[in-house]
Amino acid sequence: MSGLVFENFWQNKAACEDAERLYYQKLSGCKVDNLTSGLSASEEMALMQKLGALEVENKQLKKVTDDLKALVLSLTARVETLEGGKPSGGAKSAPAPAAADDDDDDVDLFGSDDEEDDAEKKRITEERLKAYNEKKAKKPKVIAKTSVLFDVKPWDDETDMDAMKDACKSIEMDGLTWGATKLVPVGYGINKLQIMCTVEDEKVSIEELGEKMAEFEDFVQSVDVAAMNKI
């Protein structure tokens, strides 16, 4: 039966469309004739069901539209609150091009005074650094020195101690300065030679100096460092 009704409904599609049109005219307040004129009972029932479904759908769409409108208003209020209450209307956004114009005015095509100030600061810094380096270069450098006392022992009591002293002091090295000497008895008539000297640490090796004195084998049996002090 439902298939027959469906078939009859679409066989009278033009009549249904006219009835639907008249229905909406009635909803708008227009005076119209009987909506179901010319339709059978089954067609009239199907038409009324369709119109009822359309009315329900219309109400649902209206509710969805109202909900969406309320949501948009709520979101708009939140955005305004987050932006500090500034209006978000299109009329208020017009000054933006003016701001761009202001930015263009700030562009200095020929350079600014800041660049000149930076160059001047750099020049002053370089001059001060140069003056500091020159002053530091003129300041006398502290030279590290060591005072050394050598014990130079002879072979026996017959060794010529004056010749041994002269041989040792004949050694010349850059940064070496000889000092006082004296003979110190060690026993059995034998004396040892104590000889003072001052050396610059960067120029003279104390060990090397002792080896040079020990090379005078005709006089020197051994050379030892008795004492040394940093100056």
Side-chain angles (χ1 to χ4, degrees):
M1 178 65 181
S2 59
L4 181 60
V5 171
F6 182 81
E7 184 180 358
N8 291 337
F9 176 79
W10 285 107
Q11 285 178 352
N12 297 280
K13 182 178 179 183
C16 292
E17 290 178 347
D18 291 339
E20 184 177 358
R21 177 176 54 78
L22 294 175
Y23 171 75
Y24 282 111
Q25 288 180 357
K26 181 179 180 181
L27 290 179
S28 64
C30 298
K31 185 177 180 181
V32 297
D33 297 333
N34 187 10
L35 294 176
T36 60
S37 59
L39 298 177
S40 64
S42 59
E43 292 173 344
E44 181 180 352
M45 181 179 297
L47 178 59
M48 294 306 295
Q49 289 177 351
K50 180 175 179 61
L51 294 177
L54 289 174
E55 186 174 0
V56 172
E57 183 179 356
N58 185 43
K59 290 180 180 180
Q60 291 176 347
L61 289 175
K62 186 176 184 302
K63 184 177 184 305
V64 171
T65 302
D66 293 340
D67 292 343
L68 290 175
K69 183 177 180 181
L71 179 60
V72 170
L73 293 176
S74 175
L75 292 175
T76 302
R78 287 187 62 184
V79 171
E80 292 178 354
T81 301
L82 293 175
E83 292 181 351
K86 296 181 180 180
S88 59
K92 297 299 183 179
S93 60
D101 294 340
D102 293 340
D103 293 340
D104 293 339
D105 294 338
D106 294 338
V107 177
D108 189 355
L109 300 178
F110 301 99
S112 62
D113 295 337
D114 293 340
E115 296 178 357
E116 296 178 358
D117 293 342
D118 292 341
E120 181 67 16
K121 290 179 180 178
K122 183 177 180 181
R123 183 185 64 80
I124 294 174
T125 301
E126 291 177 350
E127 289 180 353
R128 290 179 178 176
L129 183 60
K130 181 180 179 181
Y132 171 77
N133 291 331
E134 291 177 352
K135 183 178 179 181
K136 186 177 180 181
K138 292 178 181 179
K139 186 177 180 180
K141 184 179 180 181
V142 177
I143 300 175
K145 295 182 178 180
T146 302
S147 175
V148 185
L149 176 64
F150 284 104
D151 278 346
V152 184
K153 296 178 181 178
W155 288 105
D156 50 34
D157 58 345
E158 296 181 356
T159 301
D160 188 344
M161 301 301 292
D162 290 334
M164 186 173 70
K165 180 186 70 174
D166 293 340
C168 290
K169 296 186 73 171
S170 67
I171 299 173
E172 295 181 357
M173 299 175 68
D174 185 20
L176 170 63
T177 303
W178 290 109
T181 63
K182 71 176 181 177
L183 296 177
V184 178
V186 294
Y188 303 102
I190 301 175
N191 296 320
K192 66 180 180 180
L193 175 67
Q194 285 192 335
I195 183 169
M196 291 283 298
C197 68
T198 301
V199 298
E200 294 182 16
D201 295 345
E202 291 185 357
K203 296 180 179 180
V204 179
S205 167
I206 296 175
E207 182 179 0
E208 181 182 358
L209 178 58
E211 291 175 354
K212 285 182 176 291
M213 288 190 288
E215 289 178 357
F216 298 106
E217 296 178 352
D218 293 340
F219 310 105
V220 179
Q221 177 188 6
S222 64
V223 178
D224 298 311
V225 176
M228 63 180 180
N229 295 305
K230 293 291 183 181
I231 300 176

